[in-house]
Amino acid sequence: MNFNLKIWRQAEGSAAGKFVDYQAKEIPAEASFLEMLDIVNEGLIARNEEPVAFDSDCREGICGTCSLVINGVPHGPGKAKTTCQLYMRRFRDGDTIWVEPFRVLAFPIIKDLIVNRSALDQIVEAGGYISVRAGSAPEANGIAVSKRDADLSMEAAACIGCGACAAACPNSSAMLFTAAKISHLGLLPQGQVERSRRAVSMVRKMDELGFGNCSNQYECEAVCPAEISAGFIARLNRDYAGSAVKEAVLAE
Amino acid sequence: MATICDSKIPAGPLEKKWSKHQAESKLVSPANKRKFEILVVGSGLAGASAAATLGELGYHVKCFCYQDSPRRAHSIAAQGGINAAKNYQNDGDSVFRLFYDTIKGGDFRSREANVYRLAEISNLIIDQCAAQGVPFAREYSGLLANRSFGGAQVSRTFYARGQTGQQLLLGAYQALERQISLNAVKMFPRTEMLDLVLVDNHAKGIVVRDLVTGEISSHAGDAVILATGGYGNVFYLSTNARGCNVTATYRAFKRGALFANPCFTQIHPTCIPVSGSYQSKLTLMSESLRNDGRVWVPKRKGDNRPPREIPDSERDYYLERKYPSFGNLAPRDIASRSAKEVCDEGRGVGPGGLGVYLDFAESIGRLGEKTIRERYGNLFEMYHNITGEDAYQRPMRIYPAVHYTMGGLWVDYNLMSNIPGLHVLGEANFSDHGANRLGASALMQGLADGYFVIPYTLGNYLANQSGKKASVERPEFKAVEEQARQRVTKLLSIRGKRTVTSFHRELGLLVWENCGMARSAEGLQAALGEIPQLREEFWHNANVLGEGNDLNQSLEHAGRVADFLEFAELMCLDALDRNESCGGHFRVEHATEDGEALRNDDDYCHVSAWEYNGSGKQPTRHIEPLIFDNVKLAQRSYK
C-alpha cells in the first residue's frame, strides 16, 4: 500500500513547527501504524534526513507511551485502541494521512510528535494513592470487597495514562484521567480514609497545571483506548463537591 | 575456570534462614538513613517498589527511567498473574510446595535459599498490594479469587483481569509518586544510565544521559540499585517493549560485575507468529488460553487445507500425545520446543510454516461461545486486530517468541553483586528462576526484591559506609563521564550506509537461529565467529544522524545496539560452555530418547558467572555450586 503523509515536524519546543509531506511506499497491510512510520524513518535515514521522532514502547497497547493524533483524532480511527494497535489495513491505498502530536497546553511539545506528559504524573503525585507503607498491610482476605465494586474499580483502574482524553477534549481537560484514578481508589474500602482529601487535591492540581474543565462533550470517552466511562466523572464531581463543602465548613 | 562465588547464604534450616538473616542483618538508624543517598535505576515492579519502600524508610532516593513516566516500565505488560502460597483454595498449597514447584520448574538450576525466601514473601506481597488498592479479581463473597496458571496443579495465582502487571505496577508507581510528593524520592524520567562509577572498588555512582537535552552528567550515591529488566531484545524480535535493553547491566559487567547464566532465556509458547521483516515486536497471547485451547498441527507434512477441513484423525494434538498428564498445559520451555519440533518437521501452519494451531472449537462446543467470550474476549479481539482473523471461527495461529531472561547480574543472598554497593533486583539479576521461569513468578520476584528483600539487606552494606559518599567532582566520575561523551561522539561520527535497526535485526536473527530454542556447538561456534564481524561492521558502517545535544532516538538505539552486539557474544559463549540441556537452554547434543532436555548434574549443577577481562579477551568463568539439601534432583517429567 502507498500513502501520502503530512507529518508535523518541530525541532524543539520553542521552535516553530510545520507539516511536511512524506511518501510511504510499499507498506504491507499487516504493518501497524508505527511500523509504517518505522519504514518511512528507515528511508529517511538512508537519504541522510533526520527521522521523525515519535514516542512508543510496549507496542501492545498497555504502556500508554504512543501518542499521535491521526487525521485529527487522538490514536486515530477505530474504537478502544492505542496508536500502536492501529493497523494499515484500516486505511485505503493512496490515502492522505495527517499526523500530529497531542495538542494540550499542559503537554508541551519536546520534538516532532513527542510531548511531555509529566503533568499526569503530577496529578497522581497530588494524591492518587492509598498511603500504606510496605510491611504495614493487614492480611489480604481481612478486607472483603464486593465483586461489583472490585469489578467497577478495575474498569476505572484500567486507564493507561496516555492522555488521549485531554488531547480530544475541546477544553484540554484531564477530567477523565483524574476521575478514573479517584474512582479506582474511591470504590474500594481501602481508599475511603483519604477519599475526600484525594479528590480535592487532585482536582486542584489538575486546575493548577492548566488543564481545562469538563463541559460534557464526551470526546474523551470516544477516544479512550481503555474504554473508561465518562460516568466516572460524575463520581469525581460528587467526591469533589462533598469534600470542598466539608473543607469550607471546617474552615469557619 | 576460577574462583567459587560466595553466595552468603545463611546457615541453618531452609525455613529459618530468612527470619534468622533478618534478625541478624544490620540496622541503619533513622538519623543515619537521612544521610544516605540511594540511586535506583529502573522503575518497573522491582525498581518502583524498591525506590518507594526505601523512601518510606527515610533514605534519600533518586530513581531513573528511560521512559517518560515511571508508570510505563515494561512490567506493565504482564498479563497473567502473580503467585502466592496463601492456600486460599484449600487445595494443598504451601510455602514448601510453591518453593518446590519453582525449583523444579527452573530445572534445578536456582538457589534453594533464594527460592524459599521468595515463596515465603509471596504472601506478604498479596497483602501489600491489596492494601494499596490493586483491584484483584474477587469471588462473590468479596474474598480474593485465584486461578491455576502455567501448569501449576494448585490454584495459587492472583490476577486483575488480563492486566495483572499493569495493576501491580500502578500500585508500586502510586507508592512511588507518594514518596516523590514527600520529597523522599527524586524522579528522573527520560534519563538513561550509560555507565557505572566505582570509587575504591565500590559502586558509588552512575553516569546518565538526559534523553531530552542530551546532557551527560553524574550522580553520586552511597549505593546503586539496578532494576533495569532483561535482555530479551538482543533477539531484536521479542515480547519486550522496544526500549528494553541490556546497557545498564552490561556496563556494570564491563566495570567488574559478574554476569550469571546469560544463556538462560525463556521462549514463550503462545505468541502471534511473525508476519514480515518490517515487524517491530511480537505480541504475547496470555498463557491462560492454553486452559481451554488445544494445540495441534496436521499429521501430514505440507497439508495446506484450511484447518476446519482437516478431520480430527489427521490432526496431531502433539502436547496431549506426548504429555498426557499435563497436556496443553505443559511448562513453557517444553511447549515451545515441541512447537519448534513439529515446525522443523515441515508440519507448521501459516506463512513460512512457522506456526501451530491453538484451537477453541471443542471448548466452544462444550461451554458455548458466550463462556469463551467472557473468559478470553479481550484476547480474541487483540488477535483479530493484529491478524485480521476471527478465532471463534478458525483456530488461532501461535508460535514461540522470546519473552523473559532468567540470566542476569550475579547477586548474593543480599541481592548485592560482587561489586560492593551494587545491588541488582528483578529480571536484571539471575537469582530465582534457574533455567526456566514458571508463569506468574516474575511479578512475584520483582515485588519481593523491591518491597521485602532489599529494605532489609541494604543495611548490611550501608552499616559501615557512613561518610564514604563520593563527590561527582572526583576524577573517577570525570573519567567515566568523558568516556560516555566520547562514545556518543564516536557513534555520531560513523556516518556509514546502514541503519542501526538493520544491524539490530541481523543480530537478532543470528542469535535466534543459533542461540534460540535449540542450540548446538556448531551453531554457537558459527555465531561466535559472526558476531564480532557484525560488530566491526557496525562501528564502520552504521548511520546515526543528528546531534548529541537534543532528543535523538537513533542515537539512543545505537548505544543500546552497540551493547547488544557485545553482549550477544557472552550469551553464546555461555551457551557453548554449558554442555548440557536444562530448562530453556536446550543443546541438541543432550536430549533423552524422547527428545527431552538431558541435564548433566555431575558437571553443570552450578551457576556460571562471567567476569569481563577487557575488550577482545575471553571472559573468565567463575562458578557457584548449587547445593540441594531439601529437594531431590530429578528429571523433570510432565508426562
Side-chain angles (χ1 to χ4, degrees):
Chain A
M1 299 175 88
N2 298 308
F3 304 99
N4 305 307
L5 304 177
K6 293 183 179 294
I7 302 180
W8 186 261
R9 302 297 309 255
Q10 183 171 342
E12 56 179 352
S14 56
K18 59 173 183 185
F19 284 102
V20 178
D21 289 357
Y22 296 97
Q23 300 295 313
K25 288 183 183 151
E26 294 173 37
I27 305 296
E30 303 80 40
S32 70
F33 195 85
L34 297 182
E35 286 166 346
M36 182 274 292
L37 289 180
D38 289 342
I39 295 170
V40 170
N41 274 343
E42 289 287 284
L44 288 177
I45 296 169
R47 297 201 304 270
N48 284 321
E49 288 178 45
E50 231 191 291
V52 180
F54 63 90
D55 260 335
S56 80
D57 206 23
C58 79
R59 295 208 175 185
E60 54 185 276
I62 192 77
C63 74
T65 308
C66 59
S67 54
L68 301 181
V69 175
I70 299 161
N71 288 341
V73 181
H75 294 312
K79 266 192 80 67
K81 58 170 76 78
T82 53
T83 300
C84 67
Q85 294 192 298
L86 176 63
Y87 285 80
M88 296 317 291
R89 70 171 84 84
R90 188 172 257 284
F91 294 89
R92 276 176 315 210
D93 197 18
D95 272 359
T96 295
I97 307 173
W98 295 76
V99 191
E100 299 168 76
F102 280 3
R103 305 236 186 236
V104 177
L105 183 68
F107 298 165
I109 292 181
I110 296 174
K111 184 175 183 176
D112 293 343
L113 303 169
I114 298 182
V115 297
N116 179 352
R117 284 167 290 178
S118 59
L120 298 179
D121 292 322
Q122 291 180 54
I123 294 175
V124 175
E125 193 190 319
Y129 44 74
I130 291 170
S131 303
V132 51
R133 277 194 324 278
S136 62
E139 152 61 37
N141 259 350
I143 318 163
V145 183
S146 83
K147 188 173 183 319
R148 195 181 137 270
D149 287 346
D151 288 348
L152 194 56
S153 170
M154 178 64 216
E155 277 179 31
C159 167
I160 62 171
C162 64
C165 46
C169 178
N171 310 328
S172 292
S173 171
M175 209 72 144
L176 190 64
F177 169 82
T178 309
K181 189 48 64 194
I182 283 174
S183 303
H184 157 211
L185 300 173
L187 277 158
L188 299 171
Q190 303 92 304
Q192 297 312 307
V193 175
E194 294 166 293
R195 188 168 157 188
S196 302
R197 203 180 59 156
R198 180 183 306 123
V200 170
S201 51
M202 288 180 77
V203 169
R204 286 190 183 150
K205 177 55 81 174
M206 186 177 79
D207 293 344
E208 179 193 316
L209 289 164
F211 291 104
N213 281 313
C214 174
S215 52
N216 298 314
Q217 308 285 323
Y218 297 110
E219 295 290 338
C220 51
E221 186 184 77
V223 299
C224 177
E227 299 188 282
I228 307 292
S229 160
F232 288 121
I233 295 178
R235 203 171 272 280
L236 173 151
N237 285 331
R238 203 160 58 229
D239 279 7
Y240 178 76
S243 310
V245 168
K246 211 186 293 174
E247 201 180 53
V249 170
L250 286 175
E252 278 181 11
Chain B
M1 203 186 80
T3 52
I4 288 172
C5 314
D6 177 10
S7 57
K8 299 198 173 66
I9 293 173
L14 188 63
E15 59 279 7
K16 295 271 193 290
K17 284 182 195 290
W18 177 232
S19 52
K20 182 166 168 282
H21 191 68
Q22 282 176 296
E24 290 171 358
S25 284
K26 292 177 182 137
L27 295 176
V28 179
S29 79
N32 283 337
K33 282 195 183 103
R34 285 199 293 275
K35 294 178 192 156
F36 284 121
E37 182 139 353
I38 315 298
L39 307 178
V40 179
V41 187
S43 66
L45 286 176
S49 60
T53 308
L54 295 172
E56 287 164 5
L57 287 171
Y59 293 105
H60 279 288
V61 180
K62 284 183 178 173
C63 182
F64 304 81
C65 70
Y66 75 77
Q67 296 90 347
D68 71 327
S69 160
R71 68 178 289 154
R72 310 212 195 277
H74 196 56
S75 305
I76 200 121
Q79 299 170 358
I82 177 166
N83 285 333
K86 286 280 195 187
N87 193 28
Y88 283 160
Q89 304 304 318
N90 202 27
D91 57 359
D93 202 7
S94 64
V95 167
F96 187 85
R97 208 179 279 275
L98 174 55
F99 153 76
Y100 181 77
D101 287 352
T102 308
I103 285 273
K104 178 188 170 195
D107 216 357
F108 305 95
R109 290 293 175 264
S110 46
R111 256 187 221 149
E112 273 194 345
N114 282 56
V115 177
Y116 195 87
R117 173 173 70 186
L118 178 65
E120 276 181 290
I121 288 175
S122 67
N123 292 341
L124 296 175
I125 297 170
I126 301 303
D127 296 344
Q128 178 63 23
C129 295
Q132 281 174 344
V134 170
F136 284 122
R138 302 264 166 181
E139 309 278 3
Y140 281 103
S141 61
L143 301 179
L144 290 157
N146 293 111
R147 62 182 171 200
S148 160
F149 191 79
Q153 288 175 314
V154 292
S155 290
R156 62 161 73 103
T157 303
F158 295 78
Y159 60 101
R161 283 201 202 147
Q163 290 145 267
T164 317
Q166 180 198 31
Q167 294 309 314
L168 296 175
L169 182 61
L170 292 181
Y173 157 76
Q174 286 163 202
L176 177 63
E177 288 295 335
R178 177 169 165 254
Q179 293 307 306
I180 293 171
S181 76
L182 298 168
N183 290 322
V185 179
K186 184 158 168 48
M187 189 70 217
F188 295 81
R190 290 200 198 268
T191 304
E192 179 162 30
M193 171 175 157
L194 297 183
D195 216 332
L196 179 72
V197 181
L198 305 190
V199 176
D200 300 331
N201 294 317
H202 284 239
K204 290 293 176 193
I206 58 174
V207 167
V208 300
R209 180 169 182 271
D210 180 322
L211 299 180
V212 176
T213 65
E215 191 197 351
I216 290 174
S217 64
S218 294
H219 292 268
D222 294 282
V224 176
I225 295 176
L226 299 186
T228 52
Y231 47 85
N233 275 351
V234 66
F235 292 92
Y236 184 65
L237 284 182
S238 81
T239 65
N240 285 2
R242 293 278 282 173
C244 295
N245 66 81
V246 76
T247 292
T249 48
Y250 190 73
R251 293 276 133 192
F253 166 71
K254 289 184 87 167
R255 297 281 168 202
L258 300 178
F259 210 112
N261 300 334
C263 79
F264 288 168
T265 53
Q266 179 165 78
I267 318 274
H268 195 289
T270 55
C271 300
I272 298 177
V274 177
S275 63
S277 62
Y278 63 86
Q279 204 155 342
S280 60
K281 82 154 272 155
L282 296 173
T283 304
L284 179 84
M285 301 296 292
S286 170
E287 196 161 26
S288 61
L289 289 168
R290 289 199 280 150
N291 286 330
D292 284 305
R294 296 179 73 194
V295 178
W296 65 274
V297 290
K299 279 188 177 164
R300 189 160 53 78
K301 255 192 220 181
D303 188 340
N304 291 329
R305 286 176 290 174
R308 288 282 169 266
E309 287 173 22
I310 302 177
D312 218 45
S313 60
E314 293 175 42
R315 299 177 178 186
D316 180 10
Y317 294 93
Y318 58 87
L319 287 175
E320 297 172 23
R321 171 172 57 80
K322 286 160 65 180
Y323 309 101
S325 70
F326 277 71
N328 295 299
L329 295 173
R332 290 178 178 176
D333 52 340
I334 288 174
S336 293
R337 207 152 51 234
S338 300
K340 178 180 160 51
E341 273 168 27
V342 295
C343 292
D344 287 350
E345 289 164 20
R347 299 195 285 141
V349 298
L354 290 176
V356 300
Y357 289 126
L358 180 61
D359 197 339
F360 294 88
E362 196 209 81
S363 297
I364 290 172
R366 182 163 41 92
L367 304 163
E369 188 176 312
K370 186 164 168 283
T371 306
I372 295 299
R373 201 175 282 278
E374 274 169 14
R375 285 186 190 168
Y376 311 110
N378 59 333
L379 296 168
F380 278 52
E381 244 173 70
M382 185 163 96
Y383 180 79
H384 179 253
N385 184 38
I386 294 175
T387 63
E389 291 175 13
D390 178 3
Y392 295 103
Q393 298 302 322
R394 57 180 295 153
M396 281 183 185
R397 288 175 298 108
I398 54 163
Y399 198 66
V402 174
H403 178 56
Y404 186 88
T405 55
M406 284 75 70
L409 290 182
W410 183 88
V411 288
D412 64 17
Y413 192 71
N414 288 319
L415 302 183
M416 189 165 84
S417 75
N418 58 307
I419 296 179
L422 179 68
H423 296 73
V424 192
L425 317 186
E427 190 179 354
N429 75 26
F430 87 104
S431 70
D432 294 355
H433 307 296
N436 175 54
R437 180 176 65 73
L438 287 184
S441 292
L443 305 185
M444 172 170 70
Q445 187 222 338
L447 291 179
D449 288 0
Y451 284 134
F452 296 111
V453 180
I454 197 70
Y456 287 90
T457 60
L458 189 61
N460 289 325
Y461 171 72
L462 291 176
N464 59 8
Q465 291 299 311
S466 209
K468 294 191 185 165
K469 188 177 149 191
S471 153
V472 293
E473 298 306 321
R474 282 184 66 123
E476 290 91 341
F477 280 93
K478 294 293 162 207
V480 177
E481 258 185 51
E482 189 48 35
Q483 286 166 18
R485 283 200 191 93
Q486 281 173 8
R487 193 160 184 265
V488 165
T489 310
K490 199 172 160 195
L491 285 166
L492 289 169
S493 64
I494 307 171
R495 291 290 154 102
K497 300 228 174 305
R498 280 183 68 179
T499 63
V500 172
T501 304
S502 80
F503 282 101
H504 195 176
R505 198 181 281 133
E506 186 176 340
L507 174 71
L509 208 56
L510 185 64
V511 287
W512 174 248
E513 290 296 328
N514 297 299
C515 199
M517 276 187 282
R519 299 143 178 203
S520 68
E522 199 187 357
L524 290 164
Q525 271 153 355
L528 285 167
E530 286 177 51
I531 294 166
Q533 290 171 24
L534 189 62
R535 189 165 63 228
E536 180 70 14
E537 195 199 334
F538 173 87
W539 283 104
H540 287 102
N541 198 25
N543 190 8
V544 187
L545 296 170
E547 307 290 332
N549 59 0
D550 74 338
L551 188 145
N552 185 339
Q553 293 174 313
S554 305
L555 176 64
E556 294 164 26
H557 191 205
R560 294 167 191 166
V561 171
D563 287 329
F564 277 133
L565 280 163
E566 293 183 28
F567 172 77
E569 209 176 336
L570 182 70
M571 182 171 80
C572 292
L573 177 70
D574 184 47
L576 181 64
D577 177 79
R578 187 168 281 277
N579 200 8
E580 65 161 349
S581 293
C582 57
H585 171 63
F586 187 74
R587 284 284 298 269
V588 296
E589 301 93 335
H590 303 288
T592 64
E593 281 177 16
D594 307 334
E596 302 298 339
L598 188 61
R599 284 199 326 263
N600 176 350
D601 292 331
D602 292 338
D603 297 322
Y604 292 98
C605 194
H606 62 240
V607 176
S608 299
W610 298 89
E611 181 190 359
Y612 183 70
N613 283 324
S615 174
K617 297 202 180 101
Q618 185 89 349
T620 305
R621 190 189 64 163
H622 301 258
I623 64 161
E624 178 196 331
L626 292 167
I627 297 153
F628 294 93
D629 295 323
N630 299 277
V631 301
K632 202 169 142 288
L633 270 70
Q635 198 201 330
R636 283 163 80 208
S637 172
Y638 292 95
K639 285 191 189 293

